[in-house]
Amino acid sequence: MDLSKTVLGIELGSTRIKAVLIDENHIPLASGSHEWENRLVDGVWTYSLEQVHSGLQACYEDLRRDVREKYQTELTETGAIGVSGMMHGYLPFDKNGKQLAEFRTWRNTMTGAAAAELTELFGFNIPQRWSIAHLYQAILNQEEHVKDIAYLTTLAGYIHYRLSGRHVMGIGEASGMFPIDSEKLDYNEEMIQKFRALTGIDLRAILPAVLTAGENAGTLSEEGARFLDPSGNLKAGISLAPCEGDAGTGMAATDSVRVRTGNVSAGTSDFAMIVTDQKLGVHPEIDMVTTPDGLPVAMVHCNNCTSDINAWVSLFGEFSQLMGFEVSRNDLFTGLFREALKGDPDGGGLLSYNFFSGEHIAGLDEGRPLFVRTPHSKFTLANFMRTHLFSSLATLKIGLDLLRETEHVPIERLYGHGGFFKTPEVGQRMLSAAVNAPVSVMETAGEGGPYGMALLAAYMIFKDKGESLADYLDNKVFKDAKSSTVMADAADTAGFNIFLTRYKKALAVEKKAVELL
């Protein structure tokens, strides 16, 4: 194996850090992973930087082990490296690199006042999880650290800085910090000046510089090599791609970067990305971000997707152990997901709310997971699982309906990726029932974000002169890719709509639970 022709993609997701090594033909060669979880500390969803450092290194070490076992060789170099992470959030540092406040992740819904005021100021929707909303909320709260901020970044931006010493990021990741001008491929200058007039802060002095897919974002420094690989085997000097967010890597991994393509990423959170050339109105349910090469993207983002399902699967795992049966977690997920296909189209009258945290589309600043039924509901395991799968897609459906019905954005087909689609057919059928459109999953969908980041890094070093990202993906990566497509039948679609009507009507129960519990 010629290591100089391999490419490494790393993604720091909500519950797992994963690395994928691919070859020049974009075929996955080896992988590594590390499980982790955010913590709620003093009302803030966060990860400590110590968790970030140790988790990244454990993931890389797992990758090294996989390479040794499969190829009897030591991973000493690659042709390029790309890092991605959970978008948005707040990581401020002073001029000496000291962290000034706890890492406030995308999951926090504590910036309502800031987001509303900035949305009105800019005439552009600023969601609560965006970095600029967190910064302005800190200003409104008169937090002492604001005056000392020398640079503000995201999780991916922080790791890229540790690897290269460069304060830069990809345009898709940057679009989750501050609005982007897709014509100039940079932050929106008019809005930069409005923020400066409002606060006196020059954002260009503290935000990362913006790069697009294909540009070189620096090289792995000696310090960066030791940071990623404390064993000392990894060589410095490897080219680094612009770091990206999980939305951008999802678009790359599903070949969804052209206008009128779309994908859904579903895991701890879920979001739909529709690349559009239409000018859209301002809606709190719809974010405007960009592809990794800067095209506008309408994004429907939901904070909550599979966390509640994961909790119930863990409970079923405890029960199986109690009864003396050792069932792997993977088999539990597969069996329970497949059981959902046997349920009534509407879930038998059952109802669940999967809100571990707040959800802006539902008007919630906090969440309380709930399962509700009436005495007449059909309480079966199949309906129970179907209801939880439906619940994980409900707020996404509400946002997509707004995009379709109010902005008339067509949704002809979606590509799915993430853990929700790991069990063949089930997640696809549930999403298809929700959106009433075909849902396709590619053979590489299980690799997800890190694979997408590896593709973006490969594009940087393997593209032809003048070759666009869309052409590269179409012609060199996915030309012969295998995929499966599922279209829900009319009964499933009608059943989801019945469920959603019930879901919307009873949202007051969830809001009361937040108030009382």
Side-chain angles (χ1 to χ4, degrees):
M1 182 168 57
D2 185 350
L3 291 172
S4 68
K5 293 183 179 179
T6 64
V7 176
L8 173 60
I10 302 172
E11 183 157 285
L12 292 92
S14 300
T15 59
R16 191 166 59 146
I17 305 173
K18 188 173 180 182
V20 173
L21 188 71
I22 66 173
D23 66 13
E24 58 189 317
N25 297 312
H26 314 101
I27 297 171
L29 300 173
S31 63
S33 66
H34 171 77
E35 292 191 1
W36 68 342
E37 188 55 77
N38 57 187
R39 298 174 300 144
L40 187 62
V41 180
D42 297 327
V44 176
W45 290 105
T46 188
Y47 303 81
S48 69
L49 288 191
E50 289 74 17
Q51 278 181 287
V52 173
H53 299 169
S54 63
L56 179 65
Q57 291 165 359
C59 173
Y60 183 82
E61 178 58 32
D62 195 40
L63 173 72
R64 284 183 62 219
R65 177 198 53 75
D66 196 36
V67 170
R68 283 197 305 271
E69 290 180 358
K70 287 180 176 176
Y71 307 103
Q72 293 76 53
T73 190
E74 182 61 53
L75 185 59
T76 57
E77 65 175 320
T78 69
I81 298 175
V83 176
S84 63
M86 299 168 279
M87 283 180 74
H88 319 296
Y90 185 72
L91 265 171
F93 296 88
D94 69 11
K95 62 182 180 180
N96 298 315
K98 177 186 175 183
Q99 185 181 8
L100 295 173
E102 66 285 316
F103 173 33
R104 301 169 190 180
T105 75
W106 58 271
R107 199 167 202 170
N108 290 286
T109 49
M110 60 176 65
T111 63
E117 190 174 331
L118 291 177
T119 295
E120 184 176 353
L121 176 69
F122 296 154
F124 184 99
N125 181 41
I126 301 296
Q128 288 202 50
R129 66 187 182 281
W130 281 29
S131 306
I132 191 61
H134 280 284
L135 173 60
Y136 189 49
Q137 191 65 53
I139 293 171
L140 293 179
N141 294 346
Q142 298 182 327
E143 295 186 39
E144 183 68 21
H145 75 268
V146 171
K147 63 178 174 49
D148 296 321
I149 295 176
Y151 67 96
L152 176 64
T153 192
T154 62
L155 183 57
Y158 169 72
I159 296 299
H160 187 90
Y161 179 79
R162 289 297 305 263
L163 297 180
S164 68
R166 292 192 65 188
H167 189 38
V168 299
M169 65 175 45
I171 195 168
E173 175 76 336
S175 72
M177 295 193 77
F178 193 85
I180 290 291
D181 182 333
S182 285
E183 292 184 2
K184 296 182 179 179
L185 301 177
D186 199 356
Y187 299 118
N188 185 295
E189 183 61 28
E190 181 182 352
M191 296 180 194
I192 288 274
Q193 295 308 322
K194 284 184 176 181
F195 190 82
R196 187 171 189 172
L198 178 68
T199 65
I201 294 176
D202 179 9
L203 290 174
R204 290 203 177 274
I206 65 172
L207 292 181
V210 177
L211 300 175
T212 56
E215 292 188 77
N216 187 289
T219 57
L220 183 67
S221 66
E222 289 287 352
E223 295 81 3
R226 297 296 75 75
F227 172 66
L228 183 59
D229 180 16
S231 73
N233 285 284
L234 185 63
K235 299 175 183 177
I238 299 169
S239 294
L240 294 176
C243 64
E244 265 298 344
D246 48 4
T249 58
M251 284 185 273
T254 56
D255 194 18
S256 302
V257 299
R258 286 194 190 276
V259 172
R260 288 181 290 281
T261 61
N263 77 93
V264 169
S265 173
T268 304
S269 64
D270 58 347
F271 49 85
M273 314 287 293
I274 312 297
V275 187
T276 180
D277 55 1
Q278 299 175 224
K279 186 172 178 58
L280 305 184
V282 178
H283 305 281
E285 300 88 352
I286 299 173
D287 307 356
M288 291 305 300
V289 290
T290 79
T291 63
D293 55 348
L295 291 176
V297 177
M299 179 182 191
V300 178
H301 183 281
C302 306
N303 287 350
N304 301 275
C305 184
T306 61
S307 292
D308 199 27
I309 294 173
N310 296 345
W312 283 107
V313 170
S314 294
L315 187 70
F316 285 121
E318 289 184 38
F319 174 75
S320 68
Q321 289 180 349
L322 177 67
M323 301 306 295
F325 298 102
E326 286 297 327
V327 183
S328 72
R329 190 167 175 82
N330 184 62
D331 287 344
L332 278 169
F333 271 103
T334 300
L336 289 168
F337 268 52
R338 286 178 176 164
E339 188 69 12
L341 294 177
K342 303 175 185 177
D344 294 316
D346 74 331
L350 307 179
L351 188 60
S352 77
Y353 293 101
N354 65 336
F355 302 126
F356 265 59
S357 63
E359 192 65 76
H360 68 290
I361 290 179
L364 295 166
D365 289 333
E366 297 180 52
R368 302 289 185 272
L370 284 181
F371 175 72
V372 184
R373 63 189 175 104
T374 70
H376 306 294
S377 301
K378 297 179 182 178
F379 190 34
T380 66
L381 181 60
N383 283 336
F384 180 83
M385 288 307 301
R386 192 180 187 92
T387 294
H388 282 289
L389 292 174
F390 276 0
S391 174
S392 67
L393 299 172
T395 47
L396 186 74
K397 162 71 168 173
I398 293 169
L400 285 173
D401 280 350
L402 177 67
L403 200 59
R404 262 177 166 164
E405 296 165 9
T406 303
E407 295 292 344
H408 309 293
V409 173
I411 300 174
E412 298 172 358
R413 173 179 290 192
L414 291 172
Y415 283 90
H417 69 108
F420 187 81
F421 302 103
K422 189 172 182 180
T423 302
E425 185 183 345
V426 181
Q428 286 173 268
R429 189 166 296 281
M430 296 300 138
L431 179 59
S432 179
V435 301
N436 193 25
V439 175
S440 300
V441 171
M442 293 187 177
E443 196 175 50
T444 53
E447 302 294 347
Y451 180 68
M453 189 64 244
L455 294 181
L456 292 172
Y459 171 65
M460 178 184 70
I461 61 172
F462 295 140
K463 69 180 185 301
D464 295 328
K465 186 176 181 180
E467 186 175 27
S468 71
L469 176 62
D471 285 345
Y472 183 87
L473 294 175
D474 281 350
N475 300 329
K476 294 183 177 176
V477 180
F478 296 109
K479 184 178 181 180
D480 300 313
K482 295 179 181 178
S483 66
S484 64
T485 301
V486 170
M487 179 66 202
D489 59 32
D492 284 339
T493 300
F496 188 94
N497 288 334
I498 293 170
F499 166 83
L500 191 65
T501 299
R502 183 164 66 243
Y503 180 95
K504 290 178 179 177
K505 185 176 180 180
L507 260 175
V509 177
E510 170 68 18
K511 293 176 180 178
K512 200 67 177 177
V514 172
E515 178 186 333
L516 297 177
L517 296 177

